[in-house]
Amino acid sequence: MLESEKILKRNISALIDFSNKINSNLDVDFTLRNLLLTLFAKFFITKGAILLYNSKNLLENRFSKGISETFSEEISKLNENENEIENLENLYQKYNLKYIFEIKHSENRLGFLILGNRINKEQLSNDDFDFIQSILNIAATSIQNSLMFEKITSINQQLDSKINQLNSLFDLAKEFSGVFDVKLAAKKFIYTVLGQFLISKYSIISCGSSYEIIESKFDENTIKQICEENRDILQNPNVSSITHSNLKKNGIEIAIPMKMKDEIKGIVFLGKRANGMEFSKSDIEFISSVASLATISMENGRLFNEFLEKKKIEKDLDLARTIQQNLIPSNLPKLNNFEISAINKPAKKVSGDYFDVIKLVGNRILIVIADVSGKGMQAALLMANLQAFIKSLARKSDFKIAESTNILNDLVSENTINGSFITMFWGILDDTNKTFEFVNAGHNPPLLIRNGNIEKLKVGGMILGVMETLVPYSSRIVQLNSNDFLYLFTDGITEAMDENLREFSDEKFEQIASNFNGNTSSQAVEKILDEVSIHTKNVEQSDDITLMIIKTN
C-alpha cells in the first residue's frame, strides 16, 4: 500500500472516530474541546482557539488553549462588520497564531477555528488542510445541534413542572391529559374558544427567552411588535386579562395570560366576537381555565420532549461506552514465559481507567495501566487521547520507556484542562529474558509477589499532565522468576468502601495478594474481585476498577 493511501486510510479512520465521539454528546463545550484537542494531537499544535457567534451575532472565544486571557477580551470587542476577517487576521497574528478556518453549517457561518504553529515548526500540507476542513464539516453539524440543544435546555430549565389546581372543566381536562404536542394542545384550546365565543381572529404566543408565535390569524409582525412594546403589561402575573388601547387599534379585543404558578408561559390574543358582545367576567374565567389546561399540556409536551432527548443522550452514552470498551484489548496475547489476565469495570457508563497490552518490536510487550482524574465523558476523552499518544510512541523502532515517558508527560500537559491529570504505570515485558523494565508516573505502586514477599514498584516520576517534564523520569529493570506474580491496579480497588465507609485498603489488598495460593493469573483476578465484591456488598460502585495480573511461567 502506498504511503499516501496509508495516510488517507488513517485520516478517514480518525474522522470516523471523531464523528462517533462528538455525536455521543450534545454539549457544545464537549464538541469544541474534542475538536481542538484532536487537532492538537494530530498535528502537535499547542495553541489554538474556537470562536463562535453568540445570540447577538457577536464573536466570542468559546474555547482556547495556550493563549493569553487578553485574547478573549479583544475578541469580545470585535463586532461583525465588512472587515471582520481582516480584523481577525490582525488579531491572531498579534498572538503568534498561524492559521484561521471558517466553521460553516450549510451557508451559515458559525465561527472560526484558529491554530498556532506546530511544535516542529513545519507548515501544514494540502492534505493537512483537507483533513482540517473535513473535520470542521463534521464538527459544524454537531456544533449547530449542540447550540440548538443548549438553547432548548436553557428554556426548559425555566419551566415550572408543577401544575396549577384546575378550577373545573373535567371533560376538557381528560382530552388535554393525553396531548403531548405543543401545537396540538394550542389547536384544541383555540378550537374550544372559537366554538364557544364565535371568534375568528386570534394569536397564541409562547413566552420564553423570546416570543414564539404558535398559532395566529393576526399579522405576525404586528403581534411581535405589540409583544415587545407592551412587555411589562403583558407579563404581569397579577393580571388575569388585559385590555389596552394599543391592542384595540390592532383589532385585539382582549389578551389573556397563560399562567402556571404565577409565571407567564404564554399569551392569548382574541379578536372581536361575531355577535358583537363583550367578554364578561364569566367568559374570561372560562377562557382562563381552558388556557390553564392548555398551558399544562404544552408544558408537559416540552417536558416529554426533554425526556425523549435525555433518553437519546443515554443511548449515545451507551454507544460511547461500547466504543471505549473497544479501545481496551478484548484478547490478551499468549506468551511463552508470561500469563496475563485483566479486567476493567467502569463506575459509570464511561470509564476513566485504562489498560493496554501492546506488541513492540522484537519479543517485547508493553504493559500499561492508568487512571484519569474524574469520571464520565471528560475522563474518557482524556483516556482516548492518552491511548493515541501511547500507541504513537510505541510504533518507534527505538522505543525507550523512560524517554517516552518524558514525551508523554509533555503531550498530556499540553492537552489537559481544568486541572485534569493521569496516574500511569507502564513497563516492557521481555518474553525471552524474562525481564521487566518499568516507569511509575505517580500511580499506585504495583506489587511484585515472590515467595509470599512483596516488593512495590515505585521508580519513575510525577503524575502526568501537571506540568511539563523538568526532572526526567527514571526506569528500572527487574528480573522475573518462575511463579512470580505482578499485580497492577487502580485505586478503585483499594478505596472501594463498604456500608460504613471503610475502605478495602492497601493493607488488605497486599495481604490477599501475598497469601494467594492459586496457579494462574485469572484465578488471582477472580480472587481479588470476589473479595472486593464481599467488602462492598449492597454499596454502589463509586470508582472505576481496573486490575491486571501477570504470572511468570
Side-chain angles (χ1 to χ4, degrees):
M1 183 181 293
L2 295 176
E3 183 62 23
S4 60
E5 294 176 338
K6 292 180 180 179
I7 294 173
L8 178 60
K9 184 176 180 180
R10 286 198 299 269
N11 285 347
I12 292 174
S13 178
L15 291 173
I16 292 173
D17 288 343
F18 175 79
S19 178
N20 288 334
K21 289 175 187 175
I22 64 172
N23 287 326
S24 68
N25 193 298
L26 287 174
D27 180 4
V28 66
D29 292 330
F30 167 80
T31 300
L32 300 182
R33 284 197 302 270
N34 199 26
L35 172 61
L36 198 59
L37 295 180
T38 296
L39 294 175
F40 278 12
K42 181 171 179 60
F43 299 112
F44 298 100
I45 294 173
T46 60
K47 296 174 65 175
I50 299 178
L51 315 178
L52 295 181
Y53 290 105
N54 60 22
S55 59
K56 297 180 180 180
N57 211 28
L58 299 177
L59 275 177
E60 61 182 10
N61 182 13
R62 285 298 297 261
F63 182 73
S64 62
K65 185 74 174 176
I67 304 177
S68 170
E69 292 182 358
T70 57
F71 179 76
S72 296
E73 297 174 359
E74 295 199 43
I75 287 295
S76 64
K77 298 176 183 178
L78 288 177
N79 291 318
E80 185 179 12
N81 54 54
E82 294 180 355
N83 299 319
E84 182 178 74
I85 300 293
E86 181 179 341
N87 292 339
L88 273 176
E89 289 177 347
N90 294 334
L91 185 59
Y92 81 72
Q93 289 174 2
K94 175 181 176 181
Y95 286 87
N96 295 320
L97 298 167
K98 183 70 175 178
Y99 307 98
I100 183 169
F101 304 87
E102 282 187 293
I103 303 174
K104 297 182 70 175
H105 181 260
S106 297
E107 295 301 317
N108 181 28
R109 182 195 292 162
L110 303 179
F112 300 91
L113 165 71
I114 302 178
L115 297 174
N117 277 311
R118 305 175 75 170
I119 295 176
N120 57 14
K121 305 301 182 182
E122 291 183 2
Q123 300 291 318
L124 293 175
S125 66
N126 290 335
D127 289 340
D128 295 336
F129 281 106
D130 290 342
F131 178 85
I132 293 173
Q133 192 58 57
S134 297
I135 206 170
L136 285 179
N137 290 338
I138 295 172
T141 300
S142 178
I143 292 171
Q144 179 71 20
N145 292 339
S146 297
L147 290 174
M148 182 61 68
F149 176 75
E150 187 176 76
K151 182 179 179 180
I152 293 173
T153 301
S154 175
I155 295 173
N156 284 339
Q157 287 173 349
Q158 303 174 32
L159 297 180
D160 188 345
S161 60
K162 295 183 179 180
I163 300 173
N164 278 340
Q165 183 179 5
L166 300 178
N167 293 326
S168 56
L169 308 172
F170 178 73
D171 291 338
L172 284 174
K174 288 198 299 182
E175 288 187 32
F176 278 111
S177 65
V179 177
F180 293 96
D181 180 85
V182 174
K183 287 190 174 293
L184 180 58
K187 287 182 181 293
K188 281 184 173 290
F189 164 65
I190 203 65
Y191 290 160
T192 299
V193 174
L194 293 182
Q196 184 76 17
F197 299 101
L198 303 177
I199 300 169
S200 59
K201 300 190 72 174
Y202 60 87
S203 279
I204 302 178
I205 312 298
S206 173
C207 301
S209 57
S210 61
Y211 290 110
E212 178 188 353
I213 297 177
I214 300 175
E215 291 283 338
S216 182
K217 292 296 184 181
F218 288 106
D219 178 73
E220 293 189 2
N221 291 329
T222 300
I223 292 297
K224 289 180 179 178
Q225 183 177 351
I226 290 173
C227 289
E228 293 297 337
E229 291 176 353
N230 300 275
R231 179 181 290 270
D232 293 340
I233 299 173
L234 295 175
Q235 296 200 13
N236 185 348
N238 299 317
V239 176
S240 59
S241 62
I242 303 162
T243 56
H244 195 276
S245 58
N246 287 345
L247 304 181
K248 289 186 176 293
K249 69 180 182 181
N250 289 289
I252 299 172
E253 191 69 15
I254 192 170
I256 297 179
M258 301 176 71
K259 294 190 293 185
M260 184 179 241
K261 205 170 183 177
D262 293 329
E263 183 178 354
I264 305 297
K265 298 293 185 180
I267 303 167
V268 181
F269 294 110
L270 299 176
K272 293 182 178 181
R273 301 173 66 174
N275 56 14
M277 296 177 59
E278 294 185 355
F279 292 98
S280 65
K281 181 180 179 180
S282 177
D283 295 337
I284 294 173
E285 288 178 352
F286 177 81
I287 296 171
S288 296
S289 297
V290 180
S292 295
L293 291 172
T295 303
I296 292 167
S297 183
M298 291 162 67
E299 291 300 304
N300 285 341
R302 291 190 178 94
L303 293 175
F304 181 69
N305 290 334
E306 185 182 53
F307 167 77
L308 294 179
E309 197 64 41
K310 288 179 179 178
K311 295 296 288 184
K312 181 179 180 296
I313 293 174
E314 289 179 3
K315 183 178 179 181
D316 290 342
L317 283 175
D318 288 336
L319 176 60
R321 180 180 181 181
T322 300
I323 294 170
Q324 187 187 58
Q325 288 298 310
N326 289 335
L327 299 177
I328 294 175
S330 56
N331 296 311
L332 300 176
K334 295 186 182 299
L335 306 176
N336 293 327
N337 291 307
F338 300 103
E339 177 186 295
I340 305 174
S341 297
I343 190 168
N344 170 256
K345 293 178 62 179
K348 294 188 175 182
K349 291 191 174 183
V350 184
S351 171
D353 281 5
Y354 166 63
F355 79 88
D356 213 339
V357 180
I358 303 170
K359 178 72 173 176
L360 299 179
V361 175
N363 202 17
R364 301 186 304 161
I365 299 293
L366 179 63
I367 304 296
V368 186
I369 188 168
D371 187 355
V372 178
S373 63
K375 302 177 184 68
M377 289 301 298
Q378 181 176 345
L381 175 60
L382 187 53
M383 186 202 81
N385 285 337
L386 174 66
Q387 186 201 49
F389 295 151
I390 289 174
K391 292 202 170 183
S392 177
L393 291 170
R395 290 192 184 101
K396 295 183 177 180
S397 58
D398 59 344
F399 176 78
K400 296 179 181 179
I401 196 162
E403 295 177 3
S404 296
T405 310
N406 298 333
I407 297 172
L408 184 61
N409 177 60
D410 291 341
L411 289 172
V412 173
S413 298
E414 293 165 2
N415 291 279
T416 54
I417 57 175
N418 299 328
S420 297
F421 60 87
I422 301 171
T423 68
M424 188 190 77
F425 178 95
W426 62 345
I428 301 172
L429 283 173
D430 190 317
D431 198 28
T432 301
N433 300 321
K434 297 172 71 170
T435 60
F436 184 55
E437 182 182 8
F438 68 88
V439 173
N440 191 332
H443 195 72
N444 304 75
L447 308 179
L448 174 57
I449 310 296
R450 178 175 295 166
N451 299 323
N453 298 317
I454 298 175
E455 180 182 355
K456 297 183 179 180
L457 307 185
K458 299 180 179 180
V459 174
M462 66 179 181
I463 59 180
L464 304 179
V466 175
M467 64 179 68
E468 293 184 355
T469 305
L470 300 178
V471 179
Y473 287 83
S474 302
S475 65
R476 179 188 164 198
I477 300 175
V478 295
Q479 181 68 51
L480 299 177
N481 301 329
S482 296
N483 295 319
D484 284 351
F485 278 84
L486 186 58
Y487 286 71
L488 291 73
F489 60 97
T490 59
D491 58 14
I493 293 178
T494 55
E495 296 178 3
M497 292 187 180
D498 62 12
E499 293 177 308
N500 298 315
L501 302 181
R502 292 176 299 193
E503 292 185 349
F504 189 75
S505 78
D506 291 286
E507 293 77 14
K508 186 173 182 178
F509 179 73
E510 292 170 12
Q511 180 184 18
I512 295 169
S514 61
N515 293 332
F516 174 69
N517 57 7
N519 296 319
T520 66
S521 60
S522 60
Q523 290 174 346
V525 169
E526 290 176 7
K527 177 64 177 176
I528 295 296
L529 292 181
D530 288 344
E531 293 292 339
V532 172
S533 179
I534 293 171
H535 180 79
T536 58
K537 185 178 180 181
N538 300 323
V539 178
E540 183 180 1
Q541 182 180 336
S542 60
D543 198 1
D544 306 326
I545 289 176
T546 301
L547 176 65
M548 182 188 299
I549 298 179
I550 303 168
K551 181 198 173 186
T552 308
N553 296 329

